[in-house]
Amino acid sequence: MIGRIQGVLLGKQAPQIVVDVQGVGYELLVPMTTLYQLPGLGSQVTLVTHFAVSENAQTLYGFFDKKDRELFRTLIKVSGVGPKMALAILSGMEAGQLVQCVMQDNVAALVKVPGVGKKTAERLIVELRDKLKDWQAEQSPLAAMEAASVPGVDDTNSNDIIAEAESALVALGYKPTDAAKMVTAVLKEQDVNSSEELIRRSLRSLAPA
C-alpha cells in the first residue's frame, strides 16, 4: 500500500500528473481540486495517496490533503461508484459542496457529473447522509482562487489551452461535444490564462451554488 508520495512534480496533463521520487516517475490521477493547488513543474510536492487494484490496472490516486482522500474512500464504498466516478465527482465540486448536495437532497447537482444518473445520485444521497453528517463545510482555499480576477489569455496559446481543457474534461468522463460546449460557454463570459483555469471554471459552472 502506498499512502504518501513526495518528490518533484515533472508533469501535469489533467487529470494525470507525474512525480519523480528519487529517479522513479510515478503517474497519479488527481481530482481537479487537487490539481489547482499544485505548484509549478520542477517543484517539490507531497500528496497523500490511494492505491487501487483492479483486474485490468493498478492505479495510484493523489490528493492534496487527507480530508479529500477520506471523502474519495467514502465515495467508492457506495454501491455503483468506482474510483473513476469518485474522481469526477471530486473534480466537479469541492468537499463542502458535496456535503451540501447530500444534506439538501440535491439530485439535480449530482446528475451533472458524467456517469451519475438519477438512481446513482439518489443512492449517493441515501448512503452518504449519515456518513457525512459530522463533516463541516469549511471555506476551501479554492474559494479565494475563484474570487480572484483572471487576466486575458495570450492569443498565441489560446488554442493549446482550449485543447488541453477539453481533453481533461473528456478524461473525466464528459462527452467531447459536451466538453466543447462547456469550454465555449466559459470563454463567452470571461477570459482565462491557463488550461487549469479554464477547466476549473467549466466545472464550476456545473457545481451547486
Side-chain angles (χ1 to χ4, degrees):
M1 179 68 69
I2 302 173
R4 178 176 174 271
I5 193 166
Q6 183 177 43
V8 178
L9 184 62
L10 290 185
K12 287 192 291 185
Q13 184 64 52
Q16 186 180 80
I17 66 171
V18 179
V19 178
D20 182 346
V21 181
Q22 297 182 351
V24 179
Y26 288 86
E27 295 180 346
L28 300 90
L29 293 179
V30 300
M32 297 309 301
T33 45
T34 287
L35 191 83
Y36 305 145
Q37 300 180 72
L38 293 177
L41 298 182
S43 301
Q44 284 284 332
V45 64
T46 301
L47 297 172
V48 294
T49 60
H50 174 84
F51 186 53
V53 179
S54 66
E55 293 182 1
N56 301 318
Q58 297 183 23
T59 308
L60 192 61
Y61 295 87
F63 305 90
F64 199 75
D65 58 41
K66 292 181 179 179
K67 187 172 183 179
D68 286 342
R69 182 178 63 180
E70 180 183 348
L71 186 52
F72 177 85
R73 288 175 170 173
T74 300
L75 282 169
I76 62 176
K77 291 178 182 178
V78 175
S79 176
V81 177
K84 183 177 180 180
M85 185 181 293
L87 193 74
I89 292 172
L90 293 181
S91 290
M93 59 184 73
E94 298 170 32
Q97 292 173 325
L98 177 57
V99 174
Q100 179 183 349
C101 282
V102 171
M103 297 309 171
Q104 296 180 354
D105 294 340
N106 193 342
V107 172
L110 289 172
V111 296
K112 293 178 181 178
V113 177
V116 179
K118 184 178 180 181
K119 290 184 178 180
T120 301
E122 291 172 345
R123 189 182 306 119
L124 278 165
I125 290 173
V126 170
E127 294 192 27
L128 291 178
R129 186 179 290 115
D130 288 341
K131 296 177 181 178
L132 300 183
K133 63 182 179 180
D134 294 329
W135 281 57
Q136 297 296 319
E138 300 174 353
Q139 177 78 1
S140 166
L142 295 177
M145 295 169 60
E146 184 67 33
S149 60
V150 181
V153 63
D154 183 345
D155 289 338
T156 59
N157 295 323
S158 60
N159 289 336
D160 289 341
I161 288 174
I162 292 171
E164 289 178 10
E166 291 182 359
S167 176
L169 292 170
V170 170
L172 289 172
Y174 292 92
K175 296 179 180 179
T177 52
D178 292 336
K181 289 178 181 178
M182 292 163 65
V183 167
T184 299
V186 171
L187 293 176
K188 284 182 178 179
E189 298 294 329
Q190 54 205 316
D191 293 330
V192 295
N193 68 341
S194 70
S195 59
E196 292 176 13
E197 181 69 23
L198 183 52
I199 296 165
R200 179 167 64 87
R201 292 188 180 274
S202 296
L203 292 170
R204 186 69 172 176
S205 68
L206 300 179

